[in-house]
Amino acid sequence: MRLGLTLSAWDTADLTANLALAEEADRLGYAVCWAAEAYGFDAATILATVAARTARMDVGSAVFQIPARTPAMTAMTAVTLDALSHGRFRLGLGVSGPQVSEGWYGVRFGKPLHRTREYVEVVRTVLDRERLDRTGEYFTLPLPDGPGKALRLSVRPVRDRIPLYLAAVGPANLALAGEIADGWLGVFVAPDHLPESLAHIRTGRTRGGRDDTEQFDVAACVPAVVGDDVAACADPVRHYAALYLGGMGSRDKNFYNALAVRMGYEKEAARVQDLYLARQHRDAAAAVPLDFVDDTSLLGPAERIAARLRRYAEAGVSTLSVLPFGATVEQRITTLQTMAGALVASGVGE
């Protein structure tokens, strides 16, 4: 199992901190640095900057939002980032949710699986430097009633294939990731529940005729807090979890809340959502069960974290991407250092 770093940026101070974290992760031998986007900072600019400030580790989008860009633009961005990083880019895609897709990007959310499949087909066509000439439900290129013509990418990518990942939560989307992607970007991944997710991925791989020997990267984003008191370590992660379980979606369509329900937290997930939607955010965070946070995070002293790393590796995670929590950048850097040492102690690192 390899370590990755997941960056989170909510204000301008985080951008400077993220560069320091990325540089330290590169020095420590982390395999990849991921950056996300929603309706704040964009991921592409952050990744270009990180690529310029690092030398060894990959940089990846986790994720580029599918409704935010046309697929051809996403492919162009991927080719550019891969060239600037000398072949270190990984393309992670996600369909987002109905609130962000329709409220921020103005793109209807209907049939997200079909849209994702078509989107990836166009991206692959561009990356393969084939002429972009297709008719689909969502993407028809060139437009049939205008002067456009079928074009192909005008530059040669530095690699024959850029690894493509899908962010997926529900069973059908997990199967799609197994069928058409090179890796899965998972959140709220618990070792005890990972076999169920991997079964859906295997279903997709079988459906797509994928070779079992072909490498598929199971990349889990895992919050991490180092300290002696596990319950105290869980407190900052509760706010992160409450945002997803309560606020990342509507009452009727929240993929993360549904995931918590499948993990056995039906009543607790409903309570968190009720409080969050009532704008009682602190109470919502307090209502997130300690067991849920502990199941999906790396909490406590280094020895306990090393044991948890072994469990993730044994469950099937191949890239564990650390989302470090801490009041200061120094604390988060210490967390990265602790994770690197714990991986060595666990005996499961590559």
Side-chain angles (χ1 to χ4, degrees):
M1 187 172 72
R2 298 152 295 186
L3 288 179
L5 165 65
T6 297
L7 299 177
S8 177
W10 292 94
D11 57 39
T12 53
D14 285 339
L15 294 177
T16 300
N18 279 343
L19 293 178
L21 291 172
E23 290 172 343
E24 180 63 11
D26 193 47
R27 187 189 70 81
L28 291 167
Y30 277 56
V32 59
C33 175
W34 303 99
E37 62 186 12
Y39 43 94
F41 297 116
D42 79 283
T45 307
I46 293 173
L47 291 171
T49 307
V50 169
R53 299 282 288 267
T54 58
R56 297 184 297 170
M57 69 180 177
D58 287 359
V59 293
S61 55
V63 294
F64 283 164
Q65 301 256 341
I66 284 176
R69 299 173 181 83
T70 66
M73 184 68 233
T74 289
M76 290 169 58
T77 304
V79 167
T80 304
L81 285 168
D82 204 46
L84 290 173
S85 65
H86 304 289
R88 291 188 285 137
F89 179 64
R90 306 184 192 185
L91 175 58
L93 299 172
V95 76
S96 190
Q99 286 69 33
V100 173
S101 182
E102 299 191 9
W104 188 249
Y105 298 118
V107 175
R108 294 294 182 191
F109 189 72
K111 297 184 179 180
L113 295 179
H114 191 174
R115 180 185 293 274
T116 298
R117 182 185 295 277
E118 279 199 27
Y119 194 97
V120 169
E121 288 173 356
V122 176
V123 169
R124 295 279 201 201
T125 298
V126 175
L127 294 179
D128 290 341
R129 297 195 75 233
E130 298 175 0
R131 291 200 179 276
L132 196 48
D133 187 358
R134 71 184 312 279
T135 299
E137 182 176 352
Y138 293 100
F139 304 103
T140 295
L141 298 160
L143 292 176
D145 54 355
K149 67 177 185 177
L151 300 172
R152 70 175 182 178
L153 188 68
S154 63
V155 297
R156 292 191 177 277
V158 299
R159 285 188 292 174
D160 291 336
R161 188 174 180 90
I162 294 174
L164 190 149
Y165 292 67
L166 285 185
V169 178
N173 211 5
L174 287 164
L176 184 66
E179 181 183 354
I180 68 174
D182 304 307
W184 167 49
L185 297 168
V187 294
F188 298 114
V189 176
D192 289 344
H193 296 275
L194 185 57
E196 178 182 351
S197 297
L198 295 182
H200 294 304
I201 289 172
R202 284 194 297 272
T203 296
R205 288 175 68 75
T206 299
R207 186 171 65 201
R210 306 289 293 275
D211 188 345
D212 287 342
T213 63
E214 182 183 354
Q215 185 176 0
F216 184 90
D217 191 14
V218 176
C221 173
V222 181
V225 185
V226 179
D228 293 330
D229 186 334
V230 172
C233 289
D235 283 342
V237 184
R238 289 180 189 271
H239 293 273
Y240 162 83
L243 169 63
Y244 280 83
L245 301 186
M248 287 292 191
S250 66
R251 186 177 298 279
D252 298 328
K253 191 180 289 292
N254 182 317
F255 304 118
Y256 308 101
N257 192 282
L259 173 63
V261 170
R262 292 196 298 273
M263 292 171 62
Y265 294 98
E266 182 174 2
K267 292 182 180 179
E268 296 88 343
R271 175 65 174 160
V272 172
Q273 187 178 59
D274 287 343
L275 290 167
Y276 203 94
L277 294 180
R279 305 189 66 82
Q280 299 177 42
H281 297 163
R282 291 184 181 179
D283 292 337
V288 177
L290 174 60
D291 286 347
F292 177 82
V293 177
D294 194 26
D295 286 347
T296 57
S297 306
L298 294 168
L299 309 175
E303 297 81 7
R304 187 177 193 269
I305 287 171
R308 291 282 297 168
L309 288 173
R310 282 193 293 272
R311 289 187 62 197
Y312 273 106
E314 291 164 358
V317 171
S318 47
T319 301
L320 189 140
S321 295
V322 177
L323 176 60
F325 281 73
T328 66
V329 65
E330 290 78 16
Q331 289 175 336
R332 281 174 274 171
I333 285 175
T334 298
T335 295
L336 294 183
Q337 295 168 342
T338 301
M339 294 300 143
L343 184 67
V344 172
S346 73
V348 298
E350 289 189 0

